[in-house]
Amino acid sequence: MPYFVLTCIDKPDSLPLRMATREAHLAFVAEQGGVVRLAGPFLSDAGEMAGSMFVIEAVDLAAARAFNAADPYQRAGLFGSVDIRAWRATIGAVP
């Protein structure tokens, strides 16, 4: 199954929204049954969470977009921008 990278950048000054929806977001990711292969937050210069990066397995771009649309962070309006691209691992291993 192909990989997709989701680069999600938080809206400015949205750390309180991120923290308020974080538990729901983490529960959502845990429920995805191995779809998420690697993920974590981007950090601001101050070391605060400021976005998210995911490597997921999905059958196609539509499925990757559906994953993003269902994420509680996206549903709460946290992200100012989301970029979803097909990706191939070349160096290293994806868990």
Side-chain angles (χ1 to χ4, degrees):
M1 199 170 337
Y3 293 117
F4 292 86
V5 173
L6 288 72
T7 304
C8 309
I9 306 301
D10 293 0
K11 292 178 181 173
D13 303 314
S14 61
L15 185 59
L17 177 59
R18 173 177 275 274
M19 298 313 293
T21 53
R22 190 161 194 257
E23 283 189 41
H25 163 75
L26 293 174
F28 166 76
V29 170
E31 294 168 355
Q32 298 309 302
V35 168
V36 178
R37 303 303 301 207
L38 180 69
F42 289 115
L43 302 177
S44 69
D45 291 342
E48 296 177 336
M49 292 182 280
S52 299
M53 190 278 303
F54 301 89
V55 175
I56 67 169
E57 281 187 285
V59 294
D60 56 22
L61 181 58
R65 287 180 176 151
F67 169 88
N68 177 65
D71 185 338
Y73 279 166
Q74 177 70 353
R75 292 177 33 216
L78 175 65
F79 302 134
S81 67
V82 175
D83 183 58
I84 303 173
R85 295 176 185 246
W87 179 75
R88 179 182 309 136
T90 303
I91 298 172
V94 178

